[in-house]
Amino acid sequence: MTPPVSSVSAVPSRADLLAALQLQYDWSVDEALCEMPVDRLSEATPQLPPRVSAERQDAEQRLPDAFPGGDGARLRPAKAVGASANGLSGRAVEEAPDLPTLMRLTEAPDDLFLARTATHRLEPVFVEGAPFMLIGEAPDADEDRSGTLFAGEGGALLEKMLRSAGLERGRISMAPALPWRPPGGRTPSDAEMQACLPLLLRTIALCRPGFLVTMGVTPLRMLVGPDAAVGRMRGRWTDVSVPGLATPLPLLPMRHPLQLRASAAARRNAWQDLLILMEKLSPEE
């Protein structure tokens, strides 16, 4: 007579569970699947949130502080003073009386994507009596990490360039083309450059430099036009009009210091541009 087969416990032991887990780890299992089929048709249809009527949306736009409804008032997010749908082109920005006020008005515009993704905001450096203003590219990784204009290798190369022209970094006003680094260090879009242009123009008007030196293509396109190119325009002066200043400012396009690593020709061009800059400064010395 065959002995009865003992029933196996339905609850696995702790050792069995650990062994099964180790097996899944060895097999590089990264997803758990159910052994029983799932009837998707029997699942309840997810309910979508109620649609907001056009009248309600219009009322929200007309009431910027709060919109009454449901359990109480729903506050709308506060927007930085001077910020607008176009970024930084508000009337308050254009009429800011000084740099501290301008920086406060544009501290965190909630409708400018760059301001929400960057680590730090770069602020201009104003030096009283500086002969010119140096305008850099959109922030790179070193600048975004430190919040300092021309940080890292780019800053070291810039200081060498200035010393060769008999200049010191601490005696020059500086400003970024864009205060915030684009995600991943990509090239700024035309819309982003246009959104930040009023801030750059007002910064220049408040600092009132004798002339401008742009380093890189971004500030050149913002101040001259979208078709401007450093290789075609470098080596000569170009006048640009700045709102708030009575006369146009001379502008000298130059390559960004980090571009000097590209070739010997880039370094020769940089030295030629420095000679033009020194010639411009010599009558003032």
Side-chain angles (χ1 to χ4, degrees), residues 120-240:
H120 287 98
R121 174 210 176 129
L122 298 188
E123 295 190 357
V125 176
F126 172 60
V127 177
E128 187 72 32
F132 64 93
M133 171 173 277
L134 192 67
I135 304 177
E137 268 282 0
D140 59 21
D142 290 326
E143 292 172 313
D144 181 56
R145 190 181 305 110
S146 64
T148 304
L149 276 166
F150 292 103
E153 183 180 359
L157 291 172
L158 173 64
E159 291 176 2
K160 291 181 180 179
M161 294 173 62
L162 294 176
R163 283 197 299 268
S164 66
L167 297 170
E168 296 179 6
R169 174 172 175 161
R171 295 174 50 198
I172 299 174
S173 296
M174 297 187 296
L178 282 75
W180 300 280
R181 183 186 188 227
R186 61 168 172 77
T187 301
S189 65
D190 292 340
E192 290 166 344
M193 288 190 284
Q194 287 299 318
C196 294
L197 178 59
L199 175 59
L200 176 60
L201 292 175
R202 190 56 185 164
T203 299
I204 296 172
L206 292 174
C207 293
R208 297 185 176 275
F211 57 90
L212 303 173
V213 175
T214 58
M215 288 195 154
V217 67
T218 300
L220 182 62
R221 288 180 176 174
M222 291 175 65
L223 294 173
V224 176
D227 297 328
V230 177
R232 186 174 64 250
M233 298 186 63
R234 56 151 299 273
R236 65 180 188 270
W237 293 95
T238 300
D239 289 340
V240 295

Side-chain angles (χ1 to χ4, degrees), residues 51-72:
R51 297 185 60 182
V52 179
S53 64
E55 293 79 5
R56 183 185 179 109
Q57 291 179 348
D58 293 339
E60 287 185 284
Q61 295 297 326
R62 290 193 299 269
L63 298 176
D65 296 326
F67 182 80
D71 300 331

